[in-house]
Amino acid sequence: MNLTVLAASGQTGMALTRQALRRGHTVTAIARDPERIVLPDSPNLRKVAGDVNDAASIAAVVDADSVVLSALGTDRAGTLLAGARAVVAAGPRRVIWLGAYGTGPSADVAGEGAGVLATVLGARLADKVEADHTVLAAGGTVFHAGMLADGPESPRRRTVGLEAGPAFDLGAKVSRETVAAAMLDEAETPGFPGVVALPLAQ
């Protein structure tokens, strides 16, 4: 497949890109500074500059044949929504978006822990929720991951719908490699179009 990875210079973005190449896909990796995508050159990898706050730069890369996987994350409110709008406006075939467990549609399932997350996120919470809604309304899949960590892909990983979501636990982490693998599974074999999915380590 031809995949487009947004925010490819971050840890999760590089995990997505690396795993996608390993699975035999062709990847267009987008970052504000492509030099920060510290992965070996490959004939199947194209590194390009793009900024979600400049929708034209995203539209120049994303088209109707694109399957976009977003690892976009930020400490600045407004960036996620700008990214979601820019990607959706570009009209890709599919969008697979990374969000946070315990926000928006998954808040009720996550339980009391979601309140702690809301306090930590502050003004960024509304941005996350609106960005997710934008992607879902366009038929995309939003992955609500728990606390991210380094480490290998979990051999017992699974992806479930909201109805099977566990209570939110700040101590229960999921590796970026596990989340990347789940998002790529969804790109290859869609199982959760238009809804929130949960990548679990076990």
Side-chain angles (χ1 to χ4, degrees):
M1 296 177 66
N2 295 314
L3 303 178
T4 300
V5 176
L6 184 62
S9 62
Q11 288 178 283
T12 306
M14 279 194 280
L16 278 166
T17 303
R18 184 172 51 249
Q19 287 192 35
L21 291 169
R22 191 182 304 141
R23 293 187 186 201
H25 300 302
T26 299
V27 180
T28 298
I30 304 174
R32 282 183 296 176
D33 179 3
E35 295 298 319
R36 295 182 61 192
I37 304 172
V38 287
L39 295 172
D41 290 336
S42 163
N44 290 332
L45 174 61
R46 181 168 68 114
K47 302 175 185 179
V48 300
D51 187 335
V52 296
N53 291 302
D54 175 10
S57 72
I58 302 302
V61 181
V62 175
D63 59 27
D65 291 326
S66 300
V67 175
V68 178
L69 298 103
S70 173
L72 187 64
T74 180
D75 291 331
R76 182 180 301 174
T79 301
L80 292 174
L81 181 56
R85 286 174 172 168
V87 168
V88 169
R93 180 152 53 101
R94 293 195 66 219
V95 181
I96 300 168
W97 188 265
L98 180 59
Y101 188 49
T103 65
S106 66
D108 288 343
V109 180
E112 293 180 3
V116 176
L117 185 61
T119 301
V120 171
L121 289 172
R124 290 175 291 155
L125 177 61
D127 182 39
K128 280 185 174 289
V129 172
E130 266 201 89
D132 289 358
H133 177 74
T134 299
V135 172
L136 292 172
T141 300
V142 175
F143 275 82
H144 274 194
M147 303 299 291
L148 297 177
D150 296 329
E153 176 186 335
S154 170
R156 293 184 292 173
R157 69 177 179 83
R158 59 196 176 101
T159 300
V160 301
L162 283 178
E163 70 283 352
F168 184 81
D169 180 359
L170 282 169
K173 298 184 177 181
V174 59
S175 73
R176 292 176 178 84
E177 297 291 340
T178 297
V179 173
M183 293 175 71
L184 285 164
D185 287 348
E186 182 67 18
E188 294 171 347
T189 308
F192 298 91
V195 298
V196 172
L198 311 177
L200 303 179
Q202 56 185 358

